[in-house]
Amino acid sequence: MNVLKRCVFGLSLLSLAAVFVQCKNDKKADTEKVETDEKALVTIDKSEYGTTAKGEKVESYKLKNQNGMEVDIITFGGRITDLKVPNKAGVSENVVIGFNSLAQYEKENPFFGALIGRYGNRIAKGKFSLDGKEYQLAINNAPNALHGGPQGFFNVVWKADEVKSGDTASLKLSYVSKDMEEGYPGNLKVFVTYTLTNDNQLEVLYEATTDKKTVVNLTQHSYFNLSGDFTKTILDHELTLNADKLVPVDADLIPTGKLEDVAGTPFDFRTSKLIGKDINAKNEQLEKGKGYDHCWVLNNPEKGKTIIAKVYHAASGRVMEMTTDEPGIQFYSGNFLDGTLPMPNGGTFAHRTGLCLETEHYPDSPNQKNFPTTVLNPRENYKTKTTFKFSVKK
């Protein structure tokens, strides 16, 4: 009987030990899961930004991941006001041009950080025809219409919704552009979703529908300076563009209708080169743009997967890579920044202190039969995505 009791007691101890070990393992697993979840977490925080001159409330949203990347977006113009990414020493700094007040964004400025629509880039003389009817747009870049007109999407307050899913955070902006707003036909419902991932990618998804035949060409107009120091120019940045051809322009920066090979010209960025290397070369197209302000025709066999543009800044080690499903990209080297606009911490934004890479259809496409169409019909869905991925090279 004593032997039996001892056996039962021994088995009980073994059972208790097994339970203890299992509980310990479960606790360890739970701890590891929490740590993994915390590591994967991308957050989004909302704050008040200000009130427009029209009395509209403007909000700011900060998307932040666990790798030192932060993106601040305001509902006025859907503008990226701040984008912090680490350098090769692990120090996160802002790499986009912006202001520190809503009043400054409301004043005329070169579209800092803004969403652009209904039509990104220029339309000749602000005119185009659909089904035999001519439409006259608002002129804001005489003699042409530029970036949707003086009251384009960059100048309106968007509605915002937050979308969270652990390892990503998204801000979904929406706006309804009414029929004949700035001269464009159709009530256009627009959605733009900014998504930050935990591997330092910022995705921009554009969507739209219309109730009347119209033209649409949406893009994002941030000015980048990967040095994080806006007292310096972008001429020491290395640029690669996966493009064999250029869309040449006339004296008014409107496409001639022909596409030209970049080989043997200052516009050849198929292999990485400093932006400043050829920017002052004697070239008719450079003279017309006062530098680089042109659309390149992208080589994009796997749309959305092929890297179509890459910017590298050696001193900071920062790298920005882009993918898109758009046919073109406008590279603008900040030629018209003239030292009159204030930097948030004092000083002014000088000549070529920021660069833009705007993924888009070609300029003036509504008037160019040989260009990919920008027409959107009722019951069609406009959908395009561009991704900016940041990393460091030591």
Side-chain angles (χ1 to χ4, degrees):
M1 189 69 179
N2 287 336
V3 173
L4 181 60
K5 285 181 178 179
R6 283 198 297 271
C7 289
V8 171
F9 181 70
L11 288 171
S12 298
L13 286 175
L14 286 172
S15 298
L16 285 170
V19 169
F20 176 78
V21 170
Q22 184 61 47
C23 289
K24 188 175 180 181
N25 288 339
D26 289 346
K27 186 176 181 181
K28 182 180 178 183
D30 289 343
T31 302
E32 288 175 347
K33 185 178 186 302
V34 169
E35 288 175 351
T36 300
D37 288 345
E38 287 178 350
K39 186 177 179 182
L41 190 65
V42 182
T43 60
I44 181 168
D45 294 306
K46 173 184 173 183
S47 61
E48 293 183 3
Y49 192 77
T51 304
T52 69
K54 297 177 182 177
E56 300 166 295
K57 295 290 184 184
V58 175
E59 298 156 343
S60 178
Y61 292 82
K62 182 186 290 290
L63 283 63
K64 183 177 181 180
N65 69 14
Q66 301 298 306
N67 298 317
M69 183 169 171
E70 300 178 13
V71 185
D72 288 20
I73 301 160
I74 59 173
T75 52
F76 180 76
R79 295 175 185 256
I80 295 175
T81 59
D82 197 274
L83 195 161
K84 290 186 174 70
V85 291
N87 63 12
K88 59 186 176 183
V91 179
S92 288
E93 296 170 301
N94 179 36
V95 297
V96 294
I97 286 180
F99 299 123
N100 60 2
S101 74
L102 178 58
Q104 196 66 50
Y105 282 113
E106 287 189 273
K107 295 177 184 178
E108 186 175 351
N109 66 81
F111 313 101
F112 285 169
L115 292 178
I116 301 298
R118 223 179 258 204
Y119 195 94
N121 220 310
R122 294 172 176 85
I123 294 181
K125 297 181 174 55
K127 294 180 180 180
F128 68 92
S129 295
L130 285 176
D131 296 334
K133 181 177 180 179
E134 184 175 86
Y135 293 90
Q136 176 64 61
L137 309 175
I139 302 297
N140 61 330
N141 184 239
N144 308 312
L146 175 65
H147 291 333
Q151 296 300 315
F153 293 177
F154 58 89
N155 244 352
V156 301
V157 177
W158 295 63
K159 181 180 179 294
D161 292 296
E162 302 175 35
V163 182
K164 303 174 186 177
S165 62
D167 59 348
T168 67
S170 298
L171 180 67
K172 187 170 186 177
L173 301 176
S174 59
Y175 176 68
V176 177
S177 176
K178 294 182 179 178
D179 184 31
M180 299 312 296
E181 182 175 286
E182 297 296 89
Y184 291 92
N187 292 297
L188 188 77
K189 293 182 179 179
V190 187
F191 300 91
V192 179
T193 305
Y194 289 105
T195 299
L196 178 64
T197 71
N198 219 18
D199 60 353
N200 287 5
Q201 286 194 111
L202 178 64
E203 299 173 355
V204 189
L205 174 66
Y206 308 87
E207 299 172 281
T209 58
T210 184
D211 62 0
K212 187 188 296 185
K213 195 172 188 177
T214 189
V215 295
V216 186
N217 190 27
L218 307 180
T219 191
Q220 219 289 332
H221 208 297
S222 285
Y223 287 69
F224 297 94
N225 186 322
L226 297 187
S227 74
D229 182 352
F230 299 107
T231 66
K232 297 178 179 177
T233 73
I234 46 81
L235 299 180
D236 65 345
H237 289 45
E238 294 180 30
L239 175 65
T240 311
L241 294 175
N242 191 356
D244 294 333
K245 293 185 180 294
L246 181 76
V247 182
V249 295
D250 63 19
D252 292 324
L253 301 181
I254 294 297
T256 62
K258 297 179 181 179
L259 304 180
E260 292 184 358
D261 291 335
V262 299
T265 77
F267 294 85
D268 191 351
F269 285 93
R270 290 175 297 177
T271 56
S272 180
K273 75 174 180 183
L274 290 172
I275 291 171
K277 183 182 179 196
D278 296 323
I279 200 168
N280 294 316
K282 186 172 177 56
N283 177 278
E284 183 183 15
Q285 285 297 309
L286 284 175
E287 290 169 5
K288 288 176 179 176
K290 312 279 187 211
Y292 296 111
D293 191 6
H294 296 75
C295 185
W296 274 253
V297 178
L298 293 172
N299 305 325
N300 203 354
E302 292 184 278
K303 293 182 178 181
K305 296 179 181 179
T306 301
I307 295 173
I308 50 88
K310 180 178 178 180
V311 184
Y312 170 55
H313 182 251
S316 68
R318 291 187 178 97
V319 179
M320 181 176 77
E321 296 173 317
M322 296 175 62
T323 59
T324 190
D325 48 18
E326 286 288 328
I329 188 168
Q330 183 87 5
F331 165 42
Y332 171 54
S333 51
N335 312 315
F336 297 100
L337 296 175
D338 59 4
T340 61
L341 297 171
M343 289 193 290
N345 298 319
T348 57
F349 293 111
H351 191 225
R352 293 176 177 156
T353 50
L355 66 90
C356 301
L357 290 165
E358 306 153 57
T359 54
E360 59 180 24
H361 275 55
Y362 313 154
D364 199 38
S365 289
N367 296 311
Q368 305 276 352
K369 292 181 180 179
N370 295 327
F371 288 180
T373 184
T374 54
V375 171
L376 181 67
N377 292 295
R379 295 180 296 281
E380 290 180 345
N381 294 315
Y382 176 97
K383 188 173 184 179
T384 178
K385 184 169 77 171
T386 293
T387 300
F388 304 83
K389 182 171 183 177
F390 295 88
S391 59
V392 291
K393 180 179 176 183
K394 296 183 179 179

